[in-house]
């Protein structure tokens, strides 16, 4: 069974540009969550999607957005990139929304903003 | 709202020695507790979780954790570590009702020395 797949794994952008990251969850998983990981702040929750609807949103500016498609694949977009957006962006999937279950993480997309 | 404090950012330990990684949480409601591990250049994977029942929880790779409600702690232990345990460990919490996202601590980097 394939795990969570994130693309691209690495990317370099300059300030002001925008970026789109993709996440394919484990087959059958309907919930997708996104986290930003930085050395200073650890993992911070960005948003969660379930059945193509955003169900939860973290405390990030509107430059951060996302969506989920009917096949549960998800994308997140960051517009007008800032230096502070440099981070590892992790996607996690789970069967449903309940918190008793396990989150399965991808290897992440490492974004560097110059 | 919930919060997690991992008391040590780095823990060096010699191979075959015991280790304890400390985690304290804050919450006004009952919680579920988790420990995740992140090996270099990989995503996070679940080590163990406490949902209810016995306060001593056993996980993969010989790790265990004990839930202490009065001290609001969920410390992770292993009696004898291996070089392969070198990784970053994250404690996480969520309320035991509703669909609030997991809140992670900032992580503890465990370095096992030969």
């Amino acid at each position: 069974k394939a795990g969570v797949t994130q693309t691209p794994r690495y990317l370099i952008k300059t300030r002001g540009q925008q970026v789109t990251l993709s996440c394919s969850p484990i087959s059958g998983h309907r919930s997708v969550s996104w986290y930003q990981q930085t050395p200073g702040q650890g993992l911070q929750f960005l948003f969660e999607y379930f059945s193509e609807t955003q169900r939860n949103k973290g405390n990030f500016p509107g430059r951060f957005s996302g969506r989920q498609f009917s096949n549960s694949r998800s994308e997140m977009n960051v517009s007008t990139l800032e230096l502070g957006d440099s981070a590892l962006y992790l996607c996690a999937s789970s069967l449903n929304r309940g918190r008793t279950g396990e989150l399965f993480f991808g290897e992440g997309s490492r974004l560097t903003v110059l | 709202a919930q919060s997690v404090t991992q008391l040590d950012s780095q823990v060096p330990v010699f191979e075959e020695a015991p280790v304890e990684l400390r985690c304290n949480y804050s919450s006004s409601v009952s919680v579920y507790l988790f420990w995740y591990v992140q090996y270099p250049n990989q995503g996070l994977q679940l080590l163990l979780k406490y949902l209810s029942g016995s306060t001593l929880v056993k996980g993969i790779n010989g790790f265990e954790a004990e839930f202490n409600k009065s001290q609001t702690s969920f410390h992770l232990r292993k009696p004898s570590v291996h070089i392969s345990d070198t990784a970053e460990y994250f404690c996480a919490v969520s309320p035991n009702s509703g669909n609030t996202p997991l809140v992670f601590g900032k992580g503890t980097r465990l370095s096992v020395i030969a």
Side-chain angles (χ1 to χ4, degrees):
Chain A
K1 193 174 186 181
V4 177
T5 304
Q6 291 189 246
T7 57
R9 289 290 314 279
Y10 302 91
L11 65 166
I12 300 174
K13 294 284 186 179
T14 57
R15 280 182 297 173
Q17 287 188 308
Q18 67 96 26
V19 66
T20 299
L21 309 177
S22 179
C23 172
S24 294
I26 291 173
S27 178
H29 285 196
R30 298 166 64 197
S31 175
V32 173
S33 300
W34 289 89
Y35 286 83
Q36 181 195 65
Q37 184 179 13
T38 57
Q41 298 298 318
L43 280 89
Q44 294 189 287
F45 173 75
L46 281 157
F47 21 66
E48 177 194 7
Y49 287 88
F50 181 81
S51 294
E52 301 178 65
T53 302
Q54 187 179 91
R55 304 293 179 154
N56 278 304
K57 189 177 191 315
N59 189 25
F60 279 82
R63 300 185 296 108
F64 292 80
S65 63
R67 58 178 174 169
Q68 186 181 35
F69 303 94
S70 59
N71 61 357
S72 294
R73 190 176 71 84
S74 177
E75 288 181 348
M76 67 163 283
N77 184 78
V78 188
S79 62
T80 319
L81 285 165
E82 301 177 359
L83 296 178
D85 297 332
S86 294
L88 181 67
Y89 290 87
L90 291 166
C91 168
S93 73
S94 60
L95 268 174
N96 292 299
R97 297 196 64 218
R99 292 298 168 232
T100 60
E102 178 178 350
L103 286 181
F104 292 83
F105 284 81
E107 293 181 323
S109 292
R110 186 168 295 281
L111 170 65
T112 301
V113 182
L114 302 177
Chain B
Q2 289 69 44
S3 67
V4 176
T5 301
Q6 292 185 241
L7 297 157
D8 305 295
S9 59
Q10 296 186 62
V11 173
V13 63
F14 286 104
E15 194 174 17
E16 298 183 7
V19 70
E20 178 181 81
L21 306 183
R22 297 180 293 167
C23 171
N24 285 92
Y25 69 92
S26 172
S27 176
S28 57
V29 299
S30 296
V31 296
Y32 297 141
L33 292 156
F34 307 81
W35 275 99
Y36 281 81
V37 60
Q38 184 179 34
Y39 298 105
N41 298 315
Q42 294 187 26
L44 282 71
Q45 67 179 87
L46 183 68
L47 269 180
L48 49 79
K49 61 184 178 182
Y50 171 79
L51 302 181
S52 64
S54 173
T55 57
L56 183 62
V57 180
K58 293 189 184 299
I60 61 172
N61 300 339
F63 283 94
E64 63 181 32
E66 185 153 21
F67 170 56
N68 187 319
K69 188 174 181 180
S70 62
Q71 297 187 6
T72 60
S73 68
F74 191 55
H75 300 334
L76 181 70
R77 302 186 184 100
K78 186 169 182 178
S80 175
V81 296
H82 303 290
I83 295 290
S84 59
D85 293 323
T86 294
E88 189 141 21
Y89 292 79
F90 294 91
C91 182
V93 64
S94 73
N96 69 356
S97 63
N99 292 300
T100 312
L102 282 185
V103 173
F104 286 85
K106 293 191 176 182
T108 297
R109 185 171 298 278
L110 174 64
S111 298
V112 181
I113 306 161

